[in-house]
Amino acid sequence: MELSIATPDDWHVHFRDGRAVGDVVREVSRQFGRALAMPNLRPPLRTCAEALAYRRRILQVAPEGFEVVATLYLTEQTTVGEILEAAASPSVVGVKFYPAGATTHSEDGISDLATCEEVLSAMEESGLPLLVHGEVVDDGVDIFDREERFLDEVLAPLVARHPRLKVVLEHITTRAAVDFVNAAGPSVAATITAHHLLHTRNDLLVGGIRPHFYCLPVLKRSQDRRALLEAATGERRRFFLGTDSAPHEVGRKESACGCAGCYTSPVALALYATAFEENGALDRLEDFASRRGADFYGLPYNGGRVRLRREKWEVPASMPFGAGRVIPFAAGRTLTWTVTGRDPI
Ligand code: NCD
Ligand code: ZN
C-alpha cells in the first residue's frame, strides 16, 4: 500500500547546534519541507539577530529547498522592541515560553509571567504567536499532573487576559489539554508528537526503565493517548504536527540522571502514519501534517509530495550525532511504514 501526501511541516524541532545540526537536519529534511526550530540553546536565542543567525547555521547544512523558521526564547528581560522586530521578520514566527525549570535548558525562562504583560500585549497586537511549554514547575505538584495544573493556573488566565493572542500549546499529553483547546477560541492551537500518539507511561516504566521514552511533558495514561489520537485524527483543525524531536548524545540519556527528550526525527512520519492507521484515519494525515499548521501560522504550503509505503523496516540501533552517537526513538524496532521518497511537484 502506497500513500502520498503534500510535503509536511514539523512545527517543533530541536536541531541543537554545532556539528550535530547536520545530522539532525538530514533526517528532518528527508520527510519534511519546513521545520520550526526551537530556541533552547545554551545560551538561549533571546534576540531576532541570534534567532536568524541560528536559522542560517541550520540552512547552511540543509539540502536546497528546505525551509526553517525560527523562534525567540522568552525571558523576563525580553523587550517590546524585540517583539516588534520579530513580528516584522518573515523568518521569526513565534516566541517560546518555558516556565523556568520545566525542561531541558529552561533555566532562563519565566518565573513570573506578570513581568511579561507588555510583551504579551505587543504579541497580541502584532499577531506573533506564543508557543507554550505547558507545565507548572512547583515541587509540590506531581509530574503527571503538571500539564493539567498549568491549564488551570496559567493558561486559562493568560487566554482570558489576552483573548486575541495566538497561542500554540506545544506537545500536549492529556485529555485535559485536548478539552482545553477544543473549548478555546480560534486563537488557541496545539501540536501533538508522534510518541504521545503511540505510547503511554507504561512503555517508559513497565518491565524496566527505558530512558529513550523519557521526555517532557512525560508520557501519560492510555485514556490520554486516546484523546490525543481522537484530536489528531478528528475534524478540528487546531491540532497539528510537531514532533518535539529532541536528540541528546547517548551518554546523556543512558545515565543515572538522564536528559528529557525523544529523538523521533528519523522515524517521525512512519510513526504518525502508524497512529493515523490505528484510528482508521490515514486520509486525514495530510491535513494534520501538511496544512493545518501552515494555516494557523499564516504561511504558504510546501510544494511537492512525500511518498510512504506500508513496508517493514528496522530502525537503526544508533546514528551519528556530531562527535558522538544518538539513539533514535524506536531503535532496533520494526516499523510498518517507510518513507520512500519525495517528489518535487
Ligand atoms: C526538550 C529538549 O531536550 O530540548 N526535551 C523534551 O523532553 N521535550 C525540551 C522540551 O521541549 O521540553
Ligand atoms: Zn521541545
Side-chain angles (χ1 to χ4, degrees):
M1 184 177 164
E2 299 258 359
L3 183 65
S4 154
I5 62 170
T7 307
D9 294 304
D10 187 343
W11 294 107
H12 189 132
V13 181
H14 298 272
F15 283 100
R16 307 306 190 205
D17 211 350
R19 277 179 58 191
V21 174
D23 294 315
V24 178
V25 84
R26 186 184 327 110
E27 298 302 323
V28 177
S29 62
R30 262 193 321 107
Q31 305 156 73
F32 297 94
R34 174 172 49 198
L36 189 153
M38 282 292 142
N40 62 331
L41 306 183
R42 298 305 305 273
L45 305 172
R46 300 163 201 252
T47 65
C48 289
E50 288 164 355
L52 292 171
Y54 178 52
R55 171 177 178 267
R56 281 192 296 274
R57 292 201 292 282
I58 302 170
L59 287 176
Q60 249 163 33
V61 291
E64 181 82 26
F66 183 70
E67 176 63 296
V68 175
V69 285
T71 45
L72 292 189
Y73 186 114
L74 184 68
T75 74
E76 294 183 355
Q77 286 74 44
T78 302
T79 63
V80 168
E82 209 60 62
I83 296 301
L84 298 180
E85 194 179 328
S89 164
S91 300
V92 181
V93 303
V95 178
K96 182 74 189 275
F97 160 30
Y98 291 103
T103 187
T104 308
H105 301 166
S106 62
E107 300 79 1
D108 300 297
I110 305 300
S111 300
D112 180 7
L113 196 59
T115 59
C116 302
E117 269 309 301
E118 262 188 84
V119 156
L120 294 169
S121 295
M123 292 176 65
E124 186 176 18
E125 287 307 310
S126 58
L128 187 66
L130 182 72
L131 282 44
V132 178
H133 184 108
E135 290 191 287
V136 295
V137 295
D138 324 28
D139 280 343
V141 180
D142 190 277
I143 192 161
F144 292 105
D145 299 333
R146 287 179 173 201
E147 183 173 277
E148 192 160 351
R149 290 282 290 271
F150 183 91
L151 301 173
D152 294 341
E153 293 171 17
V154 183
L155 197 57
L158 171 67
V159 168
R161 282 199 308 280
H162 299 281
R164 287 173 298 117
L165 178 65
K166 288 179 98 171
V167 172
V168 184
L169 187 53
E170 298 289 337
H171 42 52
I172 57 171
T173 63
T174 56
R175 175 175 291 279
V178 170
D179 292 345
F180 185 97
V181 174
N182 276 327
S187 57
V188 178
T191 54
I192 306 182
T193 78
H195 48 292
H196 289 101
L197 284 177
L198 287 171
H199 296 282
T200 69
R201 62 203 204 180
N202 279 19
D203 298 309
L204 169 70
L205 294 169
V206 173
I209 184 161
R210 295 190 178 75
H212 301 292
F213 283 80
Y214 175 58
C215 64
L216 288 170
V218 72
L219 291 165
K220 302 294 192 309
R221 299 168 171 272
S222 61
Q223 51 268 49
D224 295 303
R225 180 176 95 84
R226 268 270 109 231
L228 298 175
L229 208 46
E230 295 298 332
T233 61
E235 279 173 19
R236 290 284 178 87
R237 302 194 71 248
R238 283 182 286 116
F239 298 97
F240 50 83
L241 189 157
T243 59
D244 190 20
S245 180
H248 293 274
E249 204 274 324
V250 54
R252 298 181 60 84
K253 292 286 294 175
E254 298 178 2
S255 149
C257 185
C259 293
C262 298
Y263 182 42
T264 51
S265 289
V267 292
L269 267 194
L271 295 186
Y272 281 111
T274 302
F276 273 66
E277 186 176 40
E278 176 188 336
N279 233 26
L282 275 174
D283 56 335
R284 283 259 166 79
L285 179 63
E286 179 174 71
D287 197 40
F288 176 80
S290 318
R291 306 271 190 235
R292 296 179 187 175
D295 286 340
F296 186 82
Y297 279 103
L299 294 170
Y301 298 146
N302 297 313
R305 304 186 70 77
V306 170
R307 274 176 279 119
L308 294 101
R309 187 181 302 144
R310 205 170 189 299
E311 180 180 288
K312 289 191 165 40
W313 65 291
E314 195 179 308
V315 182
S318 75
M319 297 178 138
F321 184 62
R325 306 286 298 175
V326 62
I327 312 290
F329 194 76
R333 297 186 180 211
T334 301
L335 301 186
T336 46
W337 285 91
T338 310
V339 174
T340 50
R342 297 205 22 200
D343 299 317
I345 33 170

